[in-house]
Amino acid sequence: KLFMQRRKFIQNTGLFAVGVGVFGSISWDEEKFVGDTATTTDILGPFYRPNAPIRTSINPAGYAGKLFHLIGTVFKEDGKTPFPNAMVEIWQADDDKGYDNTTDDFGYRGSQRVAKNGKYHFITSLPKPYPLSPGSTTYRPAHIHMRISGDGQQDLITQIYFKDDPHLEKDPSSKSPEAINRILKIKENRKKDEM
């Protein structure tokens, strides 16, 4: 099992959401966050696509909207030891509520190998909710998919949601009690250099 110390979604001069100590029983020991409960899993969904390019920004070329910085640390199962060289993949729907499953651009998809300290950093944007199926009145809330893999460990497949999304209560995945600690609060950030 892999642990996530913390995840921060920060938007320079716009919106940000911070998740600190949100995965199971994670606490602050005056120096770092320590956990003893694995990040909960979620559905892979039909839109996973292997071989996403290694990159920091998953926004399309020319994107000029509000940014989110996704920053986190992957830990081994003790919740304290960084998991170096783990692979983190993320993907999300585009502004038209679709997934890029065919182009060479791999829109809104990216991957990274974490550093020796287990840290990773992606730049993205707030995803849009979309209907569960054409014509459905039930929507998937805004979410970002993650797949984390590392030598000798089972892959962690999960999703991150955002508080105050009106679709959280009806979505089969986000309404699960196990998802409660993966629903992050969004706030406004007026500091350009804060991350």
Side-chain angles (χ1 to χ4, degrees):
K1 295 175 181 172
L2 300 176
F3 286 75
M4 305 303 291
Q5 176 195 29
R6 63 184 180 153
R7 292 181 198 157
K8 288 199 295 185
F9 287 78
I10 302 173
Q11 190 284 311
N12 292 334
T13 65
L15 302 175
F16 74 97
V18 179
V20 178
V22 296
F23 299 107
S25 51
I26 292 180
S27 60
W28 178 252
D29 74 357
E30 301 304 323
E31 293 181 15
K32 61 188 174 301
F33 288 91
V34 179
D36 61 5
T37 305
T39 302
T40 57
T41 62
D42 207 326
I43 58 171
L44 178 64
F47 303 114
Y48 173 71
R49 184 178 176 193
N51 305 316
I54 293 177
R55 58 185 170 195
T56 300
S57 177
I58 68 168
N59 290 322
Y63 177 81
K66 293 182 177 181
L67 302 177
F68 274 98
H69 290 262
L70 167 55
I71 301 166
T73 305
V74 179
F75 286 96
K76 293 186 178 182
E77 56 189 45
D78 64 4
K80 306 186 263 194
T81 307
F83 197 128
N85 208 36
M87 176 65 80
V88 179
E89 299 170 81
I90 68 169
W91 65 100
Q92 69 188 61
D94 61 23
D95 287 344
D96 294 325
K97 305 171 188 172
Y99 288 85
D100 179 357
N101 285 322
T102 59
T103 76
D104 291 339
D105 294 333
F106 281 80
Y108 288 102
R109 296 175 183 275
S111 62
Q112 289 179 15
R113 288 269 177 207
V114 302
K116 288 182 181 179
N117 60 5
K119 294 190 181 298
Y120 61 87
H121 172 209
F122 289 97
I123 299 171
T124 184
S125 56
L126 184 63
K128 305 277 192 287
Y130 58 82
L132 276 174
S133 59
S136 175
T137 58
T138 302
Y139 275 66
R140 292 277 358 254
H143 61 282
I144 296 175
H145 297 264
M146 298 185 79
R147 179 181 179 190
I148 303 170
S149 53
D151 291 340
Q153 297 293 326
Q154 180 177 346
D155 291 2
L156 169 64
I157 296 168
T158 193
Q159 294 180 36
I160 298 169
Y161 303 99
F162 304 97
K163 287 188 178 182
D164 300 323
D165 187 313
H167 307 292
L168 290 170
E169 294 294 320
K170 293 183 179 179
D171 177 69
S173 295
S174 63
K175 74 178 182 182
S176 164
E178 290 185 352
I180 192 70
N181 293 323
R182 293 184 282 109
I183 300 172
L184 306 181
K185 187 175 181 182
I186 298 174
K187 295 180 182 179
E188 187 169 355
N189 177 27
R190 293 188 174 108
K191 297 179 181 177
K192 282 189 174 188
D193 298 326
E194 184 181 335
M195 267 203 322

